[in-house]
Amino acid sequence: MKVLIVNNMAPFVSGGAESMATHLKRNIEIAGHQAEILRIPFQWEPATRIPSQMLMSRAFELEGVDHVIAMKFPAYLVRHPRKTLWLVHQYRQAYDLYDAGHTNLPEGQLGSDLRRVIKNADDACFRDARRIFAISDVTRDRLAKYNGFESTVLRAPLNDPDIFTGGPAEGYIFAGGRVNDAKRQHLLVEALAHAPRTVRLVIGGPPDTSADGDKLRATVERLGVQDRVRLDLRFLDRLEYARYVNGASAVASLPFDEESFSYVAMEAATAAKPIISTSDSGGVLGLARHGTTGWVAAPNAKALAQVMADVYASAERTRELGVAAQACWEGFNITWPATAQALLS
Amino acid sequence: MKIALCSSFVPFVNGGYRNIVEWLEASLLEAGHEVERIYLPEVDTPELLFKQMAAFRYVDLSAADRIICFRPQSHLIPHPRKVVWFIHHLRPFYDLWDSPYRGFPDDAKHRGIRDALHATDTAALHEASAIFTNSRVVSDRLKQFNDIDSEPLYPPIFQPARFQFRSMNDEIVCICRLEHHKRQHLLIEALAHCRTPVRLRLCGVAGDPGYAEMLEGLVAQHGLADRVVVDHRWITEEEKADLIADCLAAAYIPVDEDSYGYPTLEAAHARKPVLTTLDAGGTLEFIVDQQSGLIAPPFPEAIAKCMDQFYADRGVTRAMGESARSRIDELRIGWPHVLERLLA
């Protein structure tokens, strides 16, 4: 089968969905098909230009393509008789972000007209789709709430699970990934000040802005925990990153209201490491289960400090939770071969 | 500089039209630029043309400092710094209108589409800050049909140093897709007329398996099995470089192509002369008869004479190979020159 993966692009900005599309392509090829990616440029500013971008996606003609897998608005509006959607997101500023007042759509009649144009086109697209998969529970629920369409959750697999081999615990808690306020690495540093002096913390990843990095360094200074925390604030290559995960006693992932499992938690579970999270971390709680696969604390420093103490209380218990996290993750069978198969069916 | 390379494509169809874009991308990245490659689909059905052209008009690449447009109708994309490296028109509406390749009737409707297309193309090309083409032939067409001046900017091959002279055996090689319009059959028919023991090797994949069978049939019919190899498959780049390094000369005799063709350039980099025909089109911009190669009328007897000459006058053949190599520099075919012109 000749399979075209259709995705948006923001010129000169590479996002997570781009690497998803690349891995999907490779895995469709491994499954014995031909695959190619169509990236359609999308400009959403000013918002009054959005209808032209929708028309553009709608006006392209595809020939010699047997199956389309489309991921984002407005690229998914492309016409094809056999189109499966793997919905990463809709134009949220016309839906939940509109309701929350975070939208670039203008106020008044013009804004509500634009919103209706987007919704009508989406509805027609969803009606015509062969199947609809959503990247997360949140995306699925949003689609049901705003457009009234059912979908099946199909989470994005890890791209390089083989490097998360696990290994002996070297006595530190690892918090990886992008560093910013919403990912709340600062909360871990604050917890450290309340935790036993045996607890070691490693924070590794690129700060979103230099201010994010400075803030974290200042917090460490202010609390005087320099001897117990290591800040490796830069872009880590995948093997460096995996080495931190594989040597950790536990891995922390406490983003605020995350949509997905979060890659950090998925990678920890793959490496059989228990997961530390917080009760308001949203999707992460699908993998982080208190007392089973790790610990879920209230989102404050004191509660997290107690969890940190627990990690060190029994190495055996901590190891067991890690093995359980791995089993939990594997139970979902979120792998690229299974994902490619679902999207081609 | 942030540079967007824009072209149209047919999903799952590869070919030279992608090479020029992707090799330029590699050269720009090497020179330290940020590059975004944008391939948008286009189907050439007359009735569907204009709505697709509207789509190209809606493409917003204001994030780029400059865009470079290749295959039609990518030149319709608006941008304040639009450079066009024009590789062909939608030819059925231009030079192929009065030919069997038009594929639709010469009626009022299609003439209307044609005229509107010409007007649109001309207007979009006037938006460009610079217009280059891949050959003199295409520049002439732009002048003839759109009254637009342009500069031929010959497309180099990727990493040309792979192609080196090693030796000269007694084989003439033709390495390109096996296609009727590339006329490998004419080379076999010519060999039947040769008086010297010169040999022939044809390598490439046939889009139509029937053509490969026809070639095999011709070889058998003329009793040439011991002097012709038909290697019907996609040979690797390494194999290709090896074959060219050791061959006597190369042959490339397509019917009226726009550009000189990558096979011509690959041979020239390896200091091998190229045999072509008077009606081959773009090859004639590169090959100078009796200097960088031989140009024959498109008939077996005439082509055979050239093949014999390559074999018999090896000293002259060798000298023509050197001259083919010099021709590359004479025409300034190289990535540094391409980058200098496109980014000027």
Side-chain angles (χ1 to χ4, degrees):
Chain A
M1 207 161 40
K2 289 176 177 168
V3 183
L4 190 70
I5 300 162
V6 180
N7 201 4
N8 281 354
M9 69 175 296
F12 304 101
V13 180
S14 182
E18 298 239 6
S19 94
M20 268 173 65
T22 308
H23 282 87
L24 177 58
K25 172 178 185 287
R26 194 197 300 157
N27 282 278
I28 289 171
E29 287 167 347
I30 290 169
H33 304 281
Q34 284 178 268
E36 185 147 25
I37 301 173
L38 165 61
R39 302 154 73 235
I40 302 180
F42 176 38
Q43 173 60 257
W44 56 93
E45 293 287 357
T48 45
R49 206 175 285 170
I50 292 174
S52 77
Q53 304 292 285
M54 296 163 65
L55 272 174
M56 170 181 70
S57 300
R58 206 73 191 151
F60 285 125
E61 291 287 333
L62 301 177
E63 214 175 64
V65 174
D66 301 318
H67 184 73
V68 163
I69 299 170
M71 301 168 69
K72 279 184 170 185
F73 173 91
Y76 60 52
L77 299 177
V78 74
R79 288 166 307 114
H80 193 274
R82 187 178 153 132
K83 179 167 68 175
T84 289
L85 300 184
W86 192 18
L87 208 57
V88 174
H89 50 72
Q90 301 174 245
Y91 191 66
R92 292 183 56 195
Q93 297 187 74
Y95 293 102
D96 60 308
L97 293 179
Y98 184 90
D99 289 346
H102 301 300
T103 185
N104 73 332
L105 301 183
E107 284 180 22
Q109 190 60 40
L110 181 58
S112 62
D113 286 348
L114 283 170
R115 190 181 185 215
R116 200 170 57 247
V117 165
I118 292 168
K119 182 177 181 301
N120 287 346
D122 273 358
D123 287 346
C125 169
F126 299 144
R127 203 163 40 236
D128 294 345
R130 175 185 176 85
R131 298 191 66 178
I132 308 177
F133 294 95
I135 196 78
S136 66
D137 298 351
V138 177
T139 308
R140 177 197 57 198
D141 295 346
R142 199 183 285 139
L143 179 67
K145 176 179 171 191
Y146 288 99
N147 303 85
F149 286 88
E150 295 299 317
S151 58
T152 308
V153 173
L154 185 65
R155 295 183 171 85
L158 284 186
N159 295 330
D160 46 8
D162 42 310
I163 64 173
F164 296 96
T165 53
E170 293 163 24
Y172 61 87
I173 293 167
F174 179 57
R178 282 163 44 212
V179 174
N180 62 41
D181 278 352
K183 304 280 182 196
R184 296 192 292 199
Q185 286 89 353
H186 61 92
L187 206 48
L188 289 167
V189 175
E190 286 159 20
L192 200 57
H194 298 277
R197 296 195 56 84
T198 47
V199 177
R200 294 283 178 281
L201 176 65
V202 175
I203 298 175
D208 276 6
T209 66
S210 59
D212 287 310
D214 293 344
K215 205 161 137 189
L216 206 55
R217 275 185 284 265
T219 309
V220 170
E221 292 282 326
R222 176 167 56 80
L223 299 172
V225 290
Q226 297 92 324
D227 56 332
R228 288 183 281 151
V229 62
R230 173 164 172 201
L231 299 182
D232 196 358
L233 302 186
R234 64 192 169 91
F235 179 83
L236 303 172
D237 78 39
R238 292 298 287 165
L239 290 175
E240 283 181 292
Y241 174 82
R243 213 176 299 131
Y244 275 132
V245 174
N246 293 332
S249 298
V251 169
S253 172
L254 25 138
F256 176 70
D257 200 17
E258 173 75 32
E259 286 195 13
S260 66
F261 280 167
S262 102
Y263 277 106
V264 173
M266 284 153 57
E267 287 151 355
T270 303
K273 302 294 176 179
I275 303 157
I276 299 171
S277 192
T278 44
S279 52
D280 60 354
S281 286
V284 183
L285 303 181
L287 276 182
R289 293 168 187 172
H290 189 72
T292 311
T293 63
W295 302 266
V296 178
N300 63 63
K302 286 234 170 83
L304 278 164
Q306 181 56 52
V307 162
M308 286 176 164
D310 287 350
V311 170
Y312 289 77
S314 160
E316 181 55 25
R317 170 81 179 136
T318 297
R319 209 186 56 78
E320 281 169 12
L321 291 173
V323 170
Q326 187 181 46
C328 170
W329 165 243
E330 285 173 355
F332 286 104
N333 191 29
I334 300 175
T335 64
W336 271 115
T339 303
Q341 200 185 2
L343 291 168
L344 293 172
S345 65
Chain B
M1 203 188 299
K2 288 181 176 172
I3 304 165
L5 305 181
C6 310
S7 196
S8 61
F9 80 132
V10 182
F12 308 104
V13 177
N14 291 314
Y17 78 99
R18 296 198 192 201
N19 290 342
I20 189 174
V21 180
E22 289 166 28
W23 294 347
L24 175 62
E25 178 183 17
S27 304
L28 287 168
L29 288 172
E30 205 175 300
H33 298 282
E34 278 184 74
V35 183
E36 195 71 83
R37 189 198 330 142
I38 297 152
Y39 283 150
L40 297 169
E42 182 169 315
V43 170
D44 290 347
T45 313
E47 290 76 11
L48 299 176
L49 266 187
F50 275 80
K51 63 176 257 204
Q52 297 175 86
M53 284 158 66
F56 279 94
R57 284 309 270 179
Y58 286 139
V59 175
D60 186 332
L61 294 173
S62 42
D65 299 319
R66 175 179 301 236
I67 71 171
I68 301 174
C69 306
F70 298 82
R71 191 171 178 268
Q73 293 295 83
S74 64
H75 58 272
L76 262 61
I77 298 174
H79 194 275
R81 293 289 292 178
K82 170 161 79 177
V83 173
V84 179
W85 197 358
F86 198 80
I87 57 178
H88 60 76
H89 286 93
L90 294 180
R91 296 183 60 190
F93 292 98
Y94 283 90
D95 60 301
L96 297 182
W97 182 270
D98 288 316
S99 83
Y101 298 104
R102 188 175 60 230
F104 43 79
D106 179 358
D107 56 15
K109 170 180 146 185
H110 289 94
R111 281 193 296 272
I113 293 175
R114 177 192 65 187
D115 295 347
L117 178 68
H118 286 209
T120 311
D121 280 345
T122 302
L125 290 167
H126 276 299
E127 293 173 342
S129 46
I131 301 173
F132 301 94
T133 64
N134 58 344
S135 66
R136 173 56 55 200
V137 174
V138 172
S139 279
D140 289 346
R141 275 189 215 136
L142 272 180
K143 186 68 187 165
Q144 180 193 344
F145 292 103
N146 307 91
D147 193 25
I148 280 176
D149 293 315
S150 59
E151 175 183 329
L153 184 61
Y154 295 109
I157 51 172
F158 193 54
Q159 298 175 335
R162 294 176 292 143
F163 296 99
Q164 297 280 346
F165 181 95
R166 191 161 54 205
S167 67
M168 274 168 73
N169 57 27
D170 50 9
E171 196 169 77
I172 293 174
V173 298
C174 176
I175 305 174
C176 60
R177 280 176 297 130
L178 304 181
E179 299 283 353
H180 196 273
H181 68 268
K182 304 271 186 195
R183 294 191 294 198
Q184 283 90 350
H185 59 277
L186 203 48
L187 292 172
I188 296 172
E189 285 161 4
L191 195 72
H193 291 275
C194 282
R195 300 199 170 121
T196 66
V198 65
R199 303 161 59 86
L200 181 63
R201 180 182 293 267
L202 311 174
C203 302
V205 176
D208 166 17
Y211 186 62
E213 281 164 31
M214 175 198 153
L215 293 178
E216 300 280 7
L218 268 180
V219 171
Q221 181 195 328
H222 291 290
L224 293 169
D226 56 334
R227 286 168 60 208
V228 181
V229 175
V230 180
D231 199 355
H232 175 209
R233 68 190 169 93
W234 191 276
I235 62 169
T236 66
E237 287 294 301
E238 290 73 27
E239 285 177 283
K240 179 161 71 179
D242 273 341
L243 289 171
I244 296 174
D246 294 322
C247 73
L248 175 67
Y252 189 56
I253 56 168
V255 182
D256 194 21
E257 284 221 336
D258 291 349
S259 72
Y260 46 63
Y262 293 127
T264 305
L265 211 48
E266 288 162 349
H269 275 288
R271 299 164 193 274
K272 299 298 168 80
V274 181
L275 164 61
T276 193
T277 50
L278 282 170
D279 59 352
T283 56
L284 305 178
E285 287 179 51
F286 187 90
I287 299 161
V288 181
D289 193 31
Q290 298 294 340
Q291 285 182 35
S292 43
L294 296 173
I295 302 173
F299 310 113
E301 297 80 0
I303 294 170
K305 249 183 218 160
C306 296
M307 293 165 93
D308 279 337
Q309 185 191 327
F310 279 141
Y311 185 89
D313 303 332
R314 296 176 80 85
V316 175
T317 302
R318 181 81 184 84
M320 284 196 285
E322 287 300 324
S323 162
R325 179 66 192 81
S326 320
R327 185 81 176 133
I328 295 172
D329 298 330
E330 209 174 289
L331 293 174
R332 307 187 70 176
I333 303 172
W335 291 110
H337 178 66
V338 165
L339 260 55
E340 183 195 313
R341 296 304 297 138
L342 291 176
L343 303 182

